[in-house]
Amino acid sequence: PLGDKLFRLFRKHDEREFKSSPYYRDFVSPYAMKAPYEDFAETFMTCLRYWGSASRFRNRPGLYQKIMAVRNAIDVAARRMIDGPSRGG
């Protein structure tokens, strides 16, 4: 798959090359490009790690959008846990 090819390409090269690629805007790391579940795991970890400073990723629009989506999902799940099960539905 394409993800494996991109991962192998960037793994062989240094971090500067990844940062200068168009993929840098959408992925946390070359490893995140390997598969959708790896992308989610890397994005989730980054979301938690930089919870208070997610705006640092605004210059990487694809990644920022994914981080904010994960953050929103966490907020929704936390509210549901705090509020308890909904009644009548």
Side-chain angles (χ1 to χ4, degrees), residues 48-63:
L48 295 179
R49 185 177 201 182
Y50 298 103
W51 189 269
S53 59
S55 62
R56 70 180 15 207
F57 297 102
R58 283 183 188 254
N59 65 333
R60 296 168 70 181
L63 176 57

Side-chain angles (χ1 to χ4, degrees), residues 2 7 11 14 17 23 29 37-38 40 50 53 62 72 83:
L2 179 61
F7 175 67
R11 187 178 59 185
D14 63 33
E17 188 163 346
Y23 304 107
S29 67
Y37 56 88
E38 297 299 355
F40 175 78
Y50 298 103
S53 59
N72 184 55
D83 294 344

